Amino acid sequence: MPAALFVSDLHLCPTRPTVVRLFTDFLAGPAAAADAVYILGDLFEYWAGDDDLSDSFNASIAAALKNLAGRGTRLFLIRGNRDFLLGPDFARASGANLLEEPHLADICGTPTLLLHGDTLCSDDIDYQRFRHEVRSQGWRDDFLAQPLIERRAQIEALRRRSEAEKQLKSAAIMDVNDAAVAELLRAHGYPRLIHGHTHRLARHELSVDGHRCERWVLGDWYAGGSFLACDGQGCRTLVWPPAA
Ligand code: MN
């Protein structure tokens, strides 16, 4: 199967062993048979910095990815809002090529724009302000200068706050903004679009300035897994594990 596979929003963590097992099965199965695997963000529930590779769980995930890359599947990764601190040490340990988003890839002849997707949720003003702050070099340097144990504690606190805030936000605010999608497609020559983040698995067809574009949204790996497989014929969503 010469194809590119896309996943996102796995939110891997030691307290969700079933999903971790699903993912390692995926790496040994369809991923190993593919030409390329793209992880479009939120591989981890959170990432406190590359020194978190000292954690045995994190190291085991990096090793599983490295094993895939060693078997000839090209591996690419875009950082998500949960794991935006993934850096060069993780890239070395996992064999993944870190891509800056949005990344325009040629997938079997079709220009395809890849991103995590949180930047498209432009109606969520509070979140975008937060994102802008934590993605600055200054915030990053200050944060990473703190001991790992403190960083983990701060992230745990942030996650609790963000979960509480999400309860108060409308579903519409947390979805992508149509104008932001159109602007992105226009800026990149009306490619096919693949992203995650919203966990709203779907294929959308839209028309931008008279150009028909596809927008594929990847699903999360909470109840089970799924991935998008693209080749010269197009893309299709597959559930993982496959239905019996
Ligand atoms: Mn996300």
Side-chain angles (χ1 to χ4, degrees):
M1 180 169 70
L5 308 185
F6 300 84
V7 291
S8 72
D9 304 286
L10 298 112
H11 294 263
L12 301 181
C13 59
T15 55
R16 299 174 61 235
T18 309
V19 166
V20 173
R21 179 63 193 274
L22 274 186
F23 183 61
T24 51
D25 288 349
F26 166 77
L27 294 180
D35 284 341
V37 169
Y38 291 82
I39 301 171
L40 302 188
D42 290 358
L43 170 65
F44 291 100
E45 179 68 3
Y46 69 84
W47 191 256
D50 277 0
D51 50 347
D52 220 349
L53 279 165
S54 59
D55 175 81
S56 63
F57 173 78
N58 292 336
S60 72
I61 300 298
L65 294 171
K66 183 96 178 182
N67 183 50
L68 173 72
R71 292 168 67 179
T73 297
R74 288 175 302 136
L75 182 60
F76 301 94
L77 187 140
I78 283 177
R79 301 165 184 87
N81 55 302
R82 302 299 199 99
D83 53 15
F84 66 92
L85 288 171
L86 287 169
D89 289 345
F90 175 79
R92 266 188 295 279
S94 64
N97 300 285
L98 295 183
L99 303 175
E100 296 303 323
E101 65 172 0
H103 177 82
L104 189 60
D106 178 327
I107 305 295
C108 303
T110 300
T112 304
L113 194 65
L114 311 173
L115 71 166
H116 179 55
D118 53 328
T119 47
L120 296 173
C121 300
S122 55
D123 293 332
D124 193 343
I125 309 284
D126 291 340
Y127 171 71
Q128 294 302 336
R129 195 177 293 136
F130 169 79
R131 186 184 193 279
H132 183 74
E133 185 194 338
V134 300
R135 297 289 181 113
S136 70
Q137 194 62 47
W139 186 93
R140 207 184 162 86
D141 292 345
D142 287 350
F143 187 74
L144 291 175
Q146 300 174 57
L148 179 57
I149 192 159
E150 274 174 37
R151 276 178 271 146
R152 284 189 184 142
Q154 281 186 44
I155 291 172
E156 292 286 354
L158 265 177
R159 284 166 67 212
R160 281 193 294 274
R161 204 180 78 194
S162 127
E163 284 306 314
E165 282 170 1
K166 263 197 241 170
Q167 307 300 322
L168 303 173
K169 287 178 188 172
S170 74
I173 277 181
M174 292 191 294
D175 200 358
V176 301
N177 172 290
D178 291 342
V181 170
E183 193 183 324
L184 186 71
L185 292 173
R186 188 175 293 126
H188 292 87
Y190 311 100
R192 176 167 62 194
L193 184 60
I194 303 176
H195 69 84
H197 181 66
T198 61
H199 302 198
R200 298 179 190 200
L201 177 68
R203 172 188 180 272
H204 299 274
E205 219 178 283
L206 61 158
S207 175
V208 182
D209 308 334
H211 299 264
R212 268 183 55 197
C213 302
E214 275 184 328
R215 175 169 73 91
W216 292 88
V217 186
L218 304 173
D220 62 50
W221 284 53
Y222 285 161
S226 62
F227 59 96
L228 189 69
C230 301
D231 58 21
Q233 314 303 312
C235 299
R236 63 199 181 282
T237 295
L238 297 164
V239 294
W240 184 257

